[in-house]
Amino acid sequence: MRTLNEVFGLAGRVAVVTGAASGIGRATAEVFAGAGAAVVLGDLDAEGAERVAAGIRAGGGRAVAQGVDVAKRSEVESLVARAARDFGGLDVICNIAGIPCDGRLESLDEKAFDRILGINLKGVLYGCQAAIPLLAQRGGGSILNVSSGAIDLPVAGYGAYAITKAGVAQLTATLAQEVGDRGIRVNAIAPGATVTAFTERHLKNPDGSMNQEAFAGFITKMQSMSPIGMVGEAVDQAWLMLYLASEAGRFCTGQVWRANGGSTHGR
Ligand SMILES: NC(=O)c1ccc[n+]([C@@H]2O[C@H](COP(=O)([O-])OP(=O)(O)OC[C@H]3O[C@@H](n4cnc5c(N)ncnc54)[C@H](O)[C@@H]3O)[C@@H](O)[C@H]2O)c1
């Protein structure tokens, strides 16, 4: 019988993680490295990604970092190629990099819409497309995309963001049908409120420091939406990613997985 480490771990695997300088991407890179994977970290914030990679290496893990703008196909291809060049192949890609876009749809600026589509939707597609041949070469693997709880709970002022994340969910479901015959599983996670720079952006003072009152109010509001009274941490999403990346998730494909404290069902 296989051990839990063999089934839930990633020993000998190679993963590419975008958005790896911060939040959910950083936690995923660190959890995957802790589970035994060699990790290629990509982020627009190249220095931040390198800091995370250096921390992983200092802890005995294997990691390299590279700057990438996921809205640029050639940069995504170059990032994914690092997995083959530095670690001999690819088993998992986590397309995590994403941005918000605040504002109502009726006044949505075309440039802002193009930007968020480029990063949150086309960037995910580029990651999938670059990864498929390498995953197929190893006889299969796991593609993990990041959608959002915003696809379940429409909120005025977050429409453009939710549209991109609904697109990610559909991309995931369709791609799973197209690549399953090559042993490639494709899943998405749809995080509920998770404390990261992404959620903290509305809670800062003009000088950039945290507005503690606003932060406490945000946490209380998010807790009130969850039957277990919980707001997520980045690692809650990373643990779900680990399950889906590992052999433990071998029967899972084409789905959207929700670590959200039950918030989208209300309380
Ligand atoms: N935090 C939440 O509550 C929450 C909820 C639902 C979905 N998400 C999604 O999770 C993902 C990660 O968000 P997070 O909360 O960790 O936010 P974060 O801001 O902490 O991290 C996002 C990372 O993506 C990077 N990035 C931004 N644009 C990029 C680009 N063009 N190319 C490469 N990297 C880029 C940033 O530099 C940053 O390091 C996003 O796709 C976000 O939409 C977050």
Side-chain angles (χ1 to χ4, degrees), residues 108-186:
L108 178 61
D109 173 74
E110 195 172 346
K111 267 197 182 137
F113 193 38
D114 283 345
R115 178 163 182 263
I116 196 168
L117 280 171
I119 295 171
N120 288 14
L121 185 54
K122 290 169 88 174
V124 170
L125 178 66
Y126 298 154
C128 295
Q129 289 177 331
I132 289 166
L134 287 177
L135 297 173
Q137 266 174 30
R138 304 263 258 212
S142 177
I143 294 176
L144 294 168
N145 300 325
V146 178
S147 179
S148 170
I151 69 171
D152 301 312
L153 265 186
V155 175
Y158 292 97
Y161 176 75
I163 287 167
T164 64
K165 295 300 185 177
V168 168
Q170 186 57 45
L171 182 164
T172 299
T174 303
L175 190 63
Q177 296 290 327
E178 295 180 352
V179 298
D181 60 354
R182 279 162 274 172
I184 301 172
R185 297 182 294 108
V186 192

Side-chain angles (χ1 to χ4, degrees), residues 69-106:
D69 178 351
V70 296
K72 296 183 177 148
R73 183 193 288 276
S74 61
E75 293 191 17
V76 176
E77 287 172 350
S78 161
L79 179 77
V80 172
R82 280 295 289 276
R85 199 175 87 206
D86 290 29
F87 299 123
L90 182 70
D91 302 289
V92 184
I93 184 164
C94 303
N95 295 302
I96 300 178
I99 58 164
C101 175
D102 302 329
R104 288 177 171 260
L105 289 174
E106 65 192 89

